[in-house]
Amino acid sequence: MGLFKKLKDVLEANISDLISKAEDPEKMLNLYVERATEELKQFNIQVNRAVADQLQLRQKAEASKKEIESWNTQAKVAITQNRDDLARIALERKKTAENNLAEYEAQLAEQEKAVETLRSNYRLLEEKLNKARSERDQLVMRQRRAAAMKQANEAVQEIASNNALSDFDRMRDKVNRSEAEAQATMISAENSLEDEFAKLKKSADDMAVDDELARLKAELGKGKE
């Protein structure tokens, strides 16, 4: 039963404590399950040996029953032939076989109880091991997820500490400023062009006025003499 207690202690260990103390939780959990699996295999060997012993005791008990019947028959034959001496020997052998049968049956009863206890304990440990495997898988996924989140958070903190986002803001402001300057230059160019056209129009208007003035003077005889 020492192996049962040893395996039971392994399976009932606080997995969370094991993880918190391990540098590599996933590796620790795998080793934990592997160890428990190997211990359960060894325990199963003990169960099988106990079952084998039970079968041997049952066979010996059956053999003793047959031996008792055989010696009883031989004692009867000896009596019918007036061989009380042989009958006595046969009955003595029969008594020995009966004693052996009683011993085998007592041992068999104890062995059957032991086998049933071992099988019950094996089922209990097997259930605990399956539960441990399931918990191992869940904890490994949680550990991986936590590690990924930690790595992501560290990356965000590193970006923030390097002012990378501030650099992006400065670049955006620079682009906006360049676009504004380009827009201002385009507006200035358009205004200059409009001014030139306005000057041309004014010059043409002035010439038209001068021509009209000269014509009127000519009509009135006020032109150059």
Side-chain angles (χ1 to χ4, degrees), residues 176-186:
N176 290 338
R177 186 165 54 251
S178 296
E179 289 177 343
E181 291 174 353
Q183 184 70 20
T185 301
M186 183 177 66

Side-chain angles (χ1 to χ4, degrees), residues 46-166:
Q46 287 194 0
V47 174
N48 291 336
R49 286 174 179 171
V51 172
D53 291 342
Q54 178 184 354
L55 293 175
Q56 287 183 350
L57 287 171
R58 185 174 290 126
Q59 290 171 354
K60 289 180 179 181
E62 292 298 325
S64 293
K65 290 179 181 179
K66 292 180 180 179
E67 187 178 0
I68 291 170
E69 293 178 1
S70 176
W71 287 121
N72 188 63
T73 300
Q74 292 185 52
K76 290 179 179 180
V77 172
I79 291 173
T80 58
Q81 296 181 6
N82 296 320
R83 293 294 305 271
D84 289 353
D85 56 332
L86 292 178
R88 178 177 292 277
I89 293 174
L91 291 175
E92 289 175 352
R93 300 286 177 83
K94 176 186 175 184
K95 183 61 177 176
T96 299
E98 288 175 342
N99 291 337
N100 289 338
L101 176 60
E103 180 65 24
Y104 291 146
E105 287 181 338
Q107 291 183 23
L108 181 59
E110 292 297 323
Q111 190 66 16
E112 287 175 345
K113 292 180 181 179
V115 167
E116 181 57 34
T117 299
L118 287 171
R119 283 175 170 169
S120 177
N121 288 337
Y122 180 83
R123 289 191 294 269
L124 174 64
L125 294 174
E126 188 176 35
E127 181 180 348
K128 287 182 176 293
L129 179 56
N130 290 333
K131 182 180 179 181
R133 287 194 182 105
S134 177
E135 187 173 359
R136 182 270 312 269
D137 294 340
Q138 294 178 14
L139 289 173
V140 166
M141 286 189 293
R142 287 172 56 189
Q143 175 64 24
R144 290 177 180 175
R145 184 166 58 250
M149 292 178 63
K150 180 181 178 182
Q151 185 176 5
N153 291 334
E154 289 176 349
V156 170
Q157 291 177 357
E158 183 176 358
I159 290 174
S161 63
N162 291 334
N163 294 322
L165 295 179
S166 298

Side-chain angles (χ1 to χ4, degrees), residues 177-202:
R177 186 165 54 251
S178 296
E179 289 177 343
E181 291 174 353
Q183 184 70 20
T185 301
M186 183 177 66
I187 293 173
S188 177
E190 290 177 352
N191 290 338
S192 297
L193 185 60
E194 289 178 357
D195 290 343
E196 291 297 325
F197 277 111
K199 290 178 181 179
L200 289 175
K201 185 176 182 299
K202 186 177 185 304

